[in-house]
Amino acid sequence: ITSFNQAAEQMTGFRPEEAIGEIWWRLFSWEEIKSRYRDLVLAGVAQRFEGEIKNKRGERCLLGVTISMLRNERGKQIGVIAIFQDLTQLKNMEMEIHKKDRLAMIGEMAAGMAHEIRNPLASISGSIQVLKRGLPLDDENRGLMKIAESETERLNAIITQFLLYAKPLPPSRKWVDLHALLSETVQLLKNRPEEHVKVELLMDTHPLMMFIDPEQMRQVFWNLSINAVEAMAHGGTLSISTRLVSSKKGSSDTHTGLVEINFKDTGEGIRKEDLPKIFYPFFTTKSSGSGLGLPIVQRVVEEHFGKIDVESGSAGASFLIYLPLEGSSGYPPDLAEAVAGDDQREILTKMAD
């Protein structure tokens, strides 16, 4: 690399002094560029393509690239010019649109399938109950009837969960205290069966009014909490915290931005190869479970215009939910301003600090 402008620095994260003098495909982990360079030499015309590099932080960066010959005044080739544009955000938006289209199609199929499956399932369940009451059964046959009955209930629950994922109800938003919702979750966990008392529960949250669907968010918090507890079979600590992530750095309007809700456990963590798949429907590493808990969590968070991230290592996993505090969360900024009184502003300022 002999020249590296300011735009290249911003896109890749490398400073000119770090890039100049380096071999370009080594610096960006960009093997594909070598074959494109061969095409340029053979064809003698500029090559336009889309490529993927890694920036300085090791993050994936999608580029639209044009490479062409650099010649001197005598027409002799003295190098190659690569002009590139960062397409990462555009491609992510395209992927999101395709994902929503697929989910819409799945939702239509799911509704039809659920109707076709539930009718015979209800007949089976009703018939089993009638047989249990009307037949003289010994202990073994009574046990088999109980298994059949519980399995039909389990199938019905899976269908219900799949419908919730594929075709969720729009959020029924209202003003609720986020701290109170999280406290309810902790209280329910404390009342779980005896085997879970070895998990210590820590909270670092503040009273904060949010315009969300409380029932859907209760399910999100419960699913994440249960997953964390089950990941700590030999004991550990589940920490639930909230903080403000300002979208206007340096702004005095501390109530503008995102609220981060962190569920952090000290369990065994998530295997690296499983991380990309944990939000796939029906993917699970448990011996029991439908594999729909986390996909439903992601779907609910996205329906609230939010995002969920996962960080995992040998010391456990963190599930981080980001919800908009105002504007895109579905209520007008002037209403947010009206409810964000002095007490809430003080709390938000502390969270931001």
Side-chain angles (χ1 to χ4, degrees):
I1 298 173
T2 59
S3 180
F4 202 74
N5 71 5
Q6 188 176 4
E9 180 182 356
Q10 290 170 351
M11 287 184 207
T12 66
F14 290 99
R15 297 192 304 276
E17 56 267 30
E18 295 174 303
I20 291 173
E22 294 293 327
I23 305 298
W24 56 352
W25 56 81
R26 290 181 190 164
L27 182 66
F28 302 126
S29 304
W30 199 7
E31 287 296 318
E32 182 190 8
I33 195 70
K34 288 194 283 189
S35 63
R36 296 290 183 169
Y37 174 71
R38 284 194 294 271
D39 294 341
L40 171 67
V41 172
L42 291 173
V45 294
Q47 300 290 309
R48 171 70 186 178
F49 63 98
E50 292 179 1
E52 180 179 316
I53 68 166
K54 290 199 176 160
N55 63 19
K56 187 177 178 180
R57 295 182 297 277
E59 298 166 340
R60 179 170 162 261
C61 189
L62 298 171
L63 304 178
V65 189
T66 300
I67 58 172
S68 54
M69 297 291 192
L70 175 63
R71 302 180 186 277
N72 62 16
E73 63 277 7
R74 295 188 297 277
K76 181 182 177 183
Q77 181 189 351
I78 58 172
V80 171
I81 294 179
I83 300 171
F84 51 95
Q85 176 187 14
D86 191 346
L87 302 178
T88 308
Q89 189 174 5
L90 179 64
K91 291 296 181 183
N92 287 341
M93 288 171 62
E94 287 179 359
M95 287 172 61
E96 198 62 32
I97 290 169
H98 290 321
K99 177 183 172 184
K100 288 186 182 297
D101 288 343
R102 286 197 307 272
L103 286 174
M105 183 177 66
I106 290 170
E108 294 302 320
M109 291 173 58
M113 285 176 60
H115 178 73
E116 294 299 322
I117 294 172
R118 270 182 167 161
N119 282 344
L121 202 58
S123 299
I124 293 168
S125 179
S127 299
I128 291 170
Q129 290 174 21
V130 170
L131 289 170
K132 274 178 65 179
R133 289 195 299 267
L135 290 176
L137 300 172
D138 57 27
D139 289 343
E140 183 180 355
N141 288 331
R142 191 175 293 108
L144 291 173
M145 283 288 191
K146 189 174 180 181
I147 290 170
E149 194 173 18
S150 65
E151 287 301 294
T152 55
E153 289 173 1
R154 191 170 73 88
L155 279 172
N156 188 55
I158 291 172
I159 292 168
T160 302
Q161 282 190 307
F162 182 58
L163 270 177
L164 186 60
Y165 167 73
K167 205 169 185 180
L169 293 172
S172 179
R173 301 172 191 272
K174 59 180 73 172
W175 287 102
V176 291
D177 183 359
L178 182 62
H179 169 76
L181 274 183
L182 290 167
S183 298
E184 284 179 24
T185 301
V186 170
Q187 195 58 44
L188 286 170
L189 282 173
K190 288 179 177 177
N191 293 328
R192 290 268 295 172
E194 193 66 28
E195 65 261 28
H196 295 296
V197 296
K198 52 188 161 232
V199 173
E200 184 183 7
L201 301 171
L202 300 178
M203 278 190 74
D204 180 16
T205 63
H206 308 270
L208 178 66
M209 298 304 293
M210 296 284 290
F211 197 62
I212 54 179
D213 185 321
E215 293 306 318
Q216 290 187 2
M217 278 300 156
R218 276 191 186 97
Q219 183 175 17
V220 167
F221 299 157
W222 181 250
N223 284 357
L224 292 179
S225 299
I226 290 299
N227 279 357
V229 168
E230 290 178 350
M232 298 182 285
H234 303 294
T237 302
L238 170 59
S239 304
I240 302 174
S241 63
T242 57
R243 71 184 183 101
L244 187 70
V245 183
S246 178
S247 62
K248 292 183 179 179
K249 293 183 180 178
S251 169
S252 59
D253 297 330
T254 55
H255 64 278
T256 302
L258 303 172
V259 173
E260 178 192 273
I261 309 164
N262 187 356
F263 287 75
K264 180 177 176 57
D265 66 64
T266 58
E268 56 194 22
I270 303 167
R271 292 187 303 177
K272 187 176 179 181
E273 60 269 28
D274 290 338
L275 267 175
K277 299 180 281 188
I278 60 172
F279 293 112
Y280 288 0
F282 303 111
F283 175 79
T284 182
T285 58
K286 301 174 185 176
S287 56
S288 61
S290 64
L292 286 168
L294 285 178
I296 289 172
V297 164
Q298 185 185 51
R299 194 76 196 272
V300 170
V301 170
E302 288 177 350
E303 289 292 317
H304 282 76
F305 305 101
K307 180 186 175 185
I308 182 165
D309 286 335
V310 187
E311 297 173 357
S312 182
S314 57
S318 289
F319 283 82
L320 301 124
I321 298 171
Y322 296 94
L323 295 176
L325 193 57
E326 66 169 61
S328 62
S329 58
Y331 57 90
D334 56 342
L335 181 57
E337 182 69 27
V339 298
D342 292 339
D343 291 344
Q344 179 141 330
R345 284 199 191 91
E346 184 180 348
I347 289 165
L348 289 166
T349 302
K350 288 178 181 177
M351 289 172 69
D353 292 342

